[in-house]
Amino acid sequence: MNENTDLTGTPLPPDDSSSANVIGMTTQKPATALFPSGSRRERPGVLALTIGFGLVAVCLIGLFTSPSAAIGGAWCIGMMLVLLFLSVPVAIALSVPSIIGVYAVSGIPATMNILSTAPFSAVSDWSMSVLPMFIFMGMLLTQSGLSGKIYRVADHWFSWLPGGIGIGTTFAGAGLSAVTGSTIGMTYALGRAGIPEMLKAGYDRRMAVGTIMVSGVTGNLIPPSILMVVYAGIASVPVGPALMAGALPGVLLAVCFAAFIFAVGVFVPRLVGRGQNAQSPTKNTDTTRPTTTWRDRFTSLTGVWGFAVILVVLFGGMFSGIFTPTEAGAAAALCSLLLCLWEKRDDGPWRKVAGSSMDTVAATSAIFFIMIGATMLTSLLAITGLAPILTGLITDLGLSRIGFLLVLIVLYIVMGMFFDTLSMMLLTIPILLPTLETMGVSPLWFGVFVVLLGEFAMVTPPVGIIPYIVHSIAKNPEVNLGVTVTLRDIFVSLLWFLPVGVIFLILMVAVPGMTEWLPDLISRTSGGTSG
């Protein structure tokens, strides 16, 4: 696995790959894998590898000659960072330095203990059984062709509003990234379909690409959020409340982006193809969009009836107390299986189920290996005493809760240059968790905050991955329809949209109760089930 593959080992879509058939566009289907860890960086060359392994050797020498266990732990952290920069798989980059560090500090008995206990303790919690269920559900829904139908419904229902196509794209992106668990995969699929549709309607090119880039930011907060399940496993918080904690902020952020696009449509209509000064239609292409009737809108809903049933099972089961979150995940996965069999009944349904099963096993095992590495890192921090030292250092800085969170915002934006959200979470959460209680930060709230920061880091110029992916997509003539989209256009568009995200982050910091309202409500209505 490298920077050009996801956790299942499936190659990421190349620059000229396409998404599923959406809005009548016949294109190729991207890889149906979760958590693509694609990066715009090329594979390390000979010089980079030489320097990198030289630094690893320096870290090893420093580790075995350290005067104290804490300094040895610091050398191990340095080794992890070097391995991650060399595009070594995250599980290996986390676990190998941890094992070596434990051996250097405590000898063979402690090393054998961590090797024998960490793999089981990291993934054996009952609540983690919901993870393969959610992944399986996402794989099956993708195989059933739901992505195109979600976009079609959003387009039909919102296209009549000022900026309506952009608003529909925003909600479709939130739904697709929630279903697939992949912001990058959603960006490929939605970018191929959404950019040409918005350009046909006369949207400014910057408005079109900006809408695509922020559409998937909210998806990994809205259940079924695999990242929130992973966070719950690392932070030892109940899975049910963690899942529900992200739902309201995720929906509110999608509404905020949609409201911004609507405001642009009202006050600067030319940017969304309205008014006398609207952008001229794209050249050499058919710019006609079919008129949408109310019959079309209601007819489009019939294509996503199965998804509506799954949402009822998932949320209704938890709200009513019939299911725990783990059981709700299993029930939703069963509904997804039946839906896939029905939708693909004439197109080799069992072959698609078998493929989804294999992809689920691969993705789940990859995530579990990474969590095992994170558990080993936690053990290293405890054995070397580095965790309390880091907590003390942060406390001694005299930062308030607000100052601490502002520092984290800067840290995650910089890390977004090199890592995807999952990698950033697994590297930082074991180090930061001991500090939360000192700073008066709720672990439940912090999970939502970290996932959202990681998603923002992936779109923030000039370090985020998503802008470069969208720029690559927009180079395709079938996507840009003859309109030149430069990297400068990409960055300018984000300067329009990102202030909305910053304002929302400030709101989250000021009103932390928005993450705990829904978990508390479910706890009251369902009798407190959380497993």
Side-chain angles (χ1 to χ4, degrees):
M1 185 178 69
N2 55 48
E3 70 277 10
N4 296 316
T5 62
D6 57 32
L7 288 182
T8 68
T10 305
L12 289 173
D15 290 348
D16 60 349
S17 66
S18 302
S19 63
N21 185 8
V22 182
I23 314 297
M25 295 176 59
T26 304
T27 54
Q28 294 177 352
K29 179 179 171 294
T32 58
L34 303 183
F35 300 122
S37 55
S39 169
R40 64 181 180 281
R41 295 178 296 147
E42 297 179 355
R43 298 179 183 179
V46 175
L47 178 61
L49 287 172
T50 303
I51 295 174
F53 285 111
L55 292 174
V56 169
V58 170
C59 291
L60 286 171
I61 294 172
L63 169 63
F64 284 98
T65 58
S66 297
S68 68
I71 295 176
W75 281 112
C76 290
I77 298 296
M79 194 189 314
M80 290 178 195
L81 293 174
V82 172
L83 293 175
L84 287 169
F85 283 128
L86 290 176
S87 296
V88 172
V90 177
I92 296 176
L94 291 175
S95 58
V96 170
S98 299
I99 294 170
I100 296 174
V102 171
Y103 170 75
V105 171
S106 299
I108 293 179
T111 306
M112 296 302 296
N113 180 64
I114 191 175
L115 287 173
S116 60
T117 60
F120 181 78
S121 62
V123 300
S124 61
D125 189 273
W126 163 248
S127 63
M128 293 308 298
S129 60
V130 75
L131 184 62
M133 295 296 99
F134 280 166
I135 293 176
F136 190 44
M137 179 175 64
M139 297 290 185
L140 289 169
L141 291 177
T142 303
Q143 288 283 3
S144 66
L146 187 68
S147 58
K149 295 175 183 178
I150 288 178
Y151 189 98
R152 190 175 297 110
V153 169
D155 180 71
H156 282 347
W157 279 90
F158 295 103
S159 58
W160 62 276
L161 292 168
I165 303 175
I167 294 172
T169 299
T170 299
F171 288 125
L176 289 175
S177 56
V179 167
T180 64
S182 170
T183 304
I184 294 177
M186 185 285 307
T187 301
Y188 273 106
L190 205 59
R192 294 281 174 175
I195 292 175
E197 288 299 314
M198 285 184 274
L199 291 177
K200 284 181 182 180
Y203 275 56
D204 184 277
R205 63 192 184 282
R206 294 162 294 184
M207 199 69 191
V209 296
T211 300
I212 295 298
M213 283 186 284
V214 301
S215 293
V217 167
T218 61
N220 277 312
L221 292 176
I222 301 172
S225 170
I226 297 172
L227 287 181
M228 291 304 298
V229 176
V230 172
Y231 172 81
I234 302 171
S236 299
V237 298
V239 171
L243 280 170
M244 293 299 103
L248 182 60
V251 171
L252 287 178
L253 182 55
V255 170
C256 287
F257 282 128
F260 171 75
I261 297 171
F262 177 81
V264 170
V266 171
F267 295 106
V268 196
R270 62 181 179 82
L271 294 180
V272 295
R274 291 182 172 233
Q276 295 180 351
N277 297 322
Q279 165 180 313
S280 299
T282 51
K283 299 178 180 179
N284 302 323
T285 187
D286 180 12
T287 61
T288 303
R289 279 178 55 85
T291 302
T292 302
T293 65
W294 282 103
R295 180 178 180 180
D296 294 332
R297 294 187 179 101
F298 284 106
T299 301
S300 68
L301 293 176
T302 61
V304 295
W305 64 269
F307 187 51
V309 170
I310 291 170
L311 291 179
V312 170
V313 170
L314 190 62
F315 290 99
M318 285 190 286
F319 269 107
S320 64
I322 297 175
F323 297 136
T324 66
T326 304
E327 294 165 347
L334 175 61
C335 291
S336 301
L337 172 63
L338 298 176
L339 176 64
C340 183
L341 291 175
W342 172 258
E343 292 289 342
K344 297 298 179 180
R345 57 191 180 277
D346 298 324
D347 188 23
W350 290 109
R351 177 168 46 84
K352 294 186 181 297
V353 170
S356 297
S357 301
M358 294 300 295
D359 288 342
T360 300
V361 171
T364 303
S365 59
I367 294 173
F368 279 178
F369 272 119
I370 293 175
M371 293 182 65
I372 290 169
T375 301
M376 291 181 175
L377 172 59
T378 303
S379 299
L380 172 72
L381 295 175
I383 290 173
T384 60
L386 195 57
I389 291 176
L390 291 173
T391 302
L393 287 174
I394 296 174
T395 304
D396 292 342
L397 291 175
L399 296 173
S400 64
R401 173 178 173 271
I402 303 297
F404 171 65
L405 297 176
L406 290 176
V407 170
L408 287 186
I409 290 173
V410 175
L411 172 66
Y412 271 82
I413 288 175
V414 173
M415 290 182 69
M417 180 177 181
F418 306 101
F419 311 124
D420 59 27
T421 304
L422 180 64
S423 302
M424 289 187 282
M425 287 173 56
L426 292 165
L427 181 62
T428 58
I429 288 172
I431 298 174
L432 294 173
L433 275 177
T435 312
L436 298 183
E437 184 176 353
T438 304
M439 291 293 174
V441 178
S442 163
L444 202 61
W445 179 91
F446 186 70
V448 178
F449 184 71
V450 165
V451 170
L452 187 55
L453 268 185
E455 294 297 293
F456 275 134
M458 294 179 68
V459 301
T460 304
V463 296
I465 295 172
I466 297 295
Y468 298 91
I469 291 175
V470 173
H471 182 236
S472 175
I473 295 171
K475 290 179 180 179
N476 191 316
E478 294 181 0
V479 174
N480 61 42
L481 305 181
V483 176
T484 301
V485 181
T486 65
L487 195 57
R488 181 177 182 276
D489 293 330
I490 299 285
F491 289 164
V492 168
S493 70
L494 284 170
L495 292 178
W496 295 354
F497 281 89
L498 283 181
V500 178
V502 172
I503 292 172
F504 188 82
L505 277 175
I506 295 172
L507 181 63
M508 269 195 64
V509 173
V511 190
M514 76 165 65
T515 63
E516 298 177 358
W517 174 79
L518 190 56
D520 289 344
L521 177 62
I522 292 181
S523 179
R524 291 195 301 269
T525 57
S526 65
T529 56
S530 61

